[in-house]
Amino acid sequence: FQYLKRYDQGYNLDTFCYEACSVEGSPAECLQQFLLHCGVTDPSWSELRNFTWFLNVQLRDCEDSVFCNPDFVQDTLQGF
């Protein structure tokens, strides 16, 4: 949710990193973001769960990768 919210607001996501147990927004805002970005018209709860699970895994891997660390790559992969 935090990544999607910042993406919609035009923030640079290259420098953002999720902090465990941090809470932002309401459950309704969270659901709205998922519905806007999941890519399925009228998704089921299962489709929303799969979307959030996949997105979470990808973002976690990205945060853990040295190749996505802005301090390591500096400006060589701008916008990647």
Side-chain angles (χ1 to χ4, degrees):
F1 166 72
Q2 294 177 10
Y3 272 96
L4 294 175
K5 181 179 174 183
R6 283 168 176 74
Y7 175 78
D8 282 347
Q9 294 172 344
Y11 285 92
N12 179 4
L13 299 178
D14 292 341
T15 57
F16 176 71
C17 193
Y18 171 75
E19 292 182 31
C21 300
S22 63
V23 177
E24 292 182 14
S26 68
E29 288 176 299
C30 183
L31 181 58
Q32 183 179 20
Q33 285 294 324
F34 293 155
L35 289 170
L36 287 172
H37 291 280
C38 77
V40 176
T41 304
D42 194 25
S44 66
W45 285 111
S46 178
E47 289 168 322
L48 284 176
R49 185 224 172 262
N50 290 337
F51 168 71
T52 57
W53 175 81
F54 178 77
L55 183 61
N56 188 51
V57 168
Q58 296 300 310
L59 292 172
R60 187 180 311 131
D61 288 349
C62 181
E63 286 182 354
D64 292 342
S65 172
V66 67
F67 298 107
C68 296
N69 182 333
D71 296 329
F72 176 74
V73 296
Q74 296 174 1
D75 65 352
T76 59
L77 298 173
Q78 185 67 21
F80 177 70

